[in-house]
Structures are given as C-alpha cells and as structure tokens.
Amino acid sequence: MAIKISHLNKHIGKQHVLKDICLSIGDGEIVGLLGPNGAGKSTLMKIMVGVWDASNGEVQVPKSIGYLPEQNPLYEDMYVREYLRFFAELRMKARGERREAKGEKEIVEELIERVGLTAEAHKRIGQLSKGYRQRVGLAQAMIGNPELLILDEPTTGLDPNQLEDIRALIRNLSNPIANSDLVASNSQYPNNGRIVILSTHILQEVKQMCSRVIIIDHGEIKVDKPIAEIENLEETFREATV
C-alpha cells in the first residue's frame, strides 16, 4: 500500500481531534474525504503532508507529495510562468536534484500545457479569474510529479463552467506524466497512477471523480467504502454524521 495509517491520534490542547485512525490507500486510487466542518479532515491531510505531527500512531506516505490547501496561497504580483518556475527551482534545490535532460523551464511549460494555462501564462496571477488561479495552484502542486496529490476543497467558489473544467482536470491529474523528468531520479513512482485525496463538501463531485469514499465525523472514520458499493451517498453521509 502507498499509504498506511495505523492507530493515528491527534490532540490539540484538550481536544482529541483524530481518534485511532486506521486506513490504507493503494496506488491509483482517487479518494473522496468527506465530513462536516470540524470533523478532522484538514487535520488528517496536514499530518499526511507533514505540516503537523501526530500525537501518536504510525503514518506511512509517499515521499513525493503535492498539496493544494483550501486557501490557495498565491503571489498575486508574480506572473504565472515566473511563479511556477520559482517553485520548480525551489523543489529541485530542496531535493538536491540535478536534471540534465530538462531544466525547470521545460518542466514548467509541460505543466502549463497540461493544466490549460497556455493562454494565461504571461499574465499576473492577480489578473486571473478564480478558476484560473486554481489551475495555477494545481500546477504548483504537480511540480515534481508527486506520487500523492492532496486537494483541500479545490472547487470552492467556482462557477458551473469552472467547476466542470477543474473536475475534468483533477481526473486527468490522477495519471502520471509518462517518461518525464518531472519524476525525481530516486522516485519509486507506481506504474498505475498517483493517489489523489480530494476533500470536499460537494457530494456530486465525489460521485463523479472518486473511486472510494471515506467519511470522518468527530475525529473517527465512520465510512470507508468503494463508491460503487454506495447506493445513495447523500443518505450514507447523513447517517454517518448524525
């Protein structure tokens, strides 16, 4: 399994935020992470990406992770291409990587094309619509061709046309970039696709994009099933979060 979490607990002050979380996620899965506000979803994702430590328990995740937080932190005065090159260079330096076949310029151009930013790449980020800003955030999360991609509410505030575009893009991003120098030289990248964890409040989004559903409430996993085994997601969510 690419992700294995065993008996994970997280305490913040006197609050027991995550309670004995156990789960395994295999390569290529697109997992919808659901739960009401304050259920523990964001805390779990922050522990996976290393922002926070667990209080106790075991957490095994891939070394290569892309993360798009709910509040997309963009430098609005930077141009799209400049911004992505900056982060590509940072990631390469952080990994101590030396690339001979491709430099960060070629890496960024691949990402710009893949996320549909070609016509916007010369603009300042502050000039972009929210939908295109989300594309910039997704491209930034994809730098390094991560084995695990974690997206926290990536479609919040988008209009219907932007929603469909970003959903299609996320489905596409579950596939690796074949034969690309975006993959680190020491990567153990799986052949059957990266893991995508999608946190959202939009149940229709999960039904359209995800192969598996995990529902968390009060810091506990209440449901963990393949989407194909859930007849009525709305009812299942209601029952799990009463």
Side-chain angles (χ1 to χ4, degrees), residues 1-8 18 20-26 29 31 33 44-45 48 58-61 195 197 212-216 220-221 223-224:
M1 291 291 175
I3 294 177
K4 186 172 182 180
I5 297 176
S6 301
H7 305 293
L8 166 64
L18 294 175
D20 200 39
I21 299 292
C22 297
L23 64 90
S24 296
I25 302 174
E29 290 195 74
V31 178
L33 185 61
L44 178 58
M45 289 186 290
M48 285 192 213
E58 181 181 3
V59 180
Q60 297 179 9
V61 296
I195 295 171
I197 297 178
R212 177 176 167 188
V213 176
I214 296 174
I215 300 175
I216 295 180
E220 299 178 350
I221 293 179
V223 174
D224 184 356

Side-chain angles (χ1 to χ4, degrees), residues 10 42-43 45-54 67:
K10 177 63 177 178
S42 292
T43 299
M45 289 186 290
K46 287 177 181 178
I47 290 173
M48 285 192 213
V49 300
V51 174
W52 288 350
D53 292 327
Y67 178 44

